[in-house]
Amino acid sequence: ENIVDLLGYRRDELVGKTFRECMSEDSIKKVKELSKRKTKREKVEIKLLTKDGREIRCFASASVVRNRKGEFTGVVVAIWKK
């Protein structure tokens, strides 16, 4: 199952969306907190929002990406359904 099937969107509907637009508010806060930590990889439980507004509990393995100065530049996330 891929993210398109999981969330109920067509592929073209997801193009241009940020990952945050598909996450619950509390999950966005979790990812923000993760970005402040110094750990390289962490497994977290998040809730994704489907096209019809349902929440789906998933696990995410998130790796914080930093530049050479150690500054936060992004997060790489692998997601699987709980």
Side-chain angles (χ1 to χ4, degrees):
E1 187 171 35
N2 62 41
I3 198 75
V4 172
D5 297 330
L6 183 65
L7 298 181
Y9 286 95
R10 293 187 323 265
R11 188 172 305 274
D12 64 303
E13 291 176 307
L14 288 175
V15 173
K17 278 189 178 285
T18 65
F19 189 64
R20 291 176 56 154
E21 293 176 77
C22 298
M23 291 173 47
S24 67
E25 286 298 319
D26 60 322
S27 295
I28 292 170
K29 289 176 187 175
K30 279 184 186 180
V31 172
K32 280 184 181 179
E33 285 301 313
L34 175 67
S35 71
K36 296 175 186 174
R37 297 183 192 157
K38 297 295 182 191
T39 55
K40 291 192 179 203
R41 178 172 290 190
E42 204 162 316
K43 181 178 163 186
V44 293
E45 186 174 332
I46 61 171
K47 290 181 234 165
L48 298 178
L49 303 175
T50 64
K51 183 177 179 177
D52 63 9
R54 291 179 296 117
E55 289 185 348
I56 298 176
R57 290 179 179 240
C58 299
F59 286 111
S61 175
S63 298
V64 175
V65 180
R66 299 185 185 281
N67 63 20
R68 290 183 179 169
K69 295 178 184 178
E71 300 165 330
F72 174 81
T73 58
V75 178
V76 176
V77 180
I79 299 171
W80 61 98
K81 197 171 175 182
K82 185 173 179 179

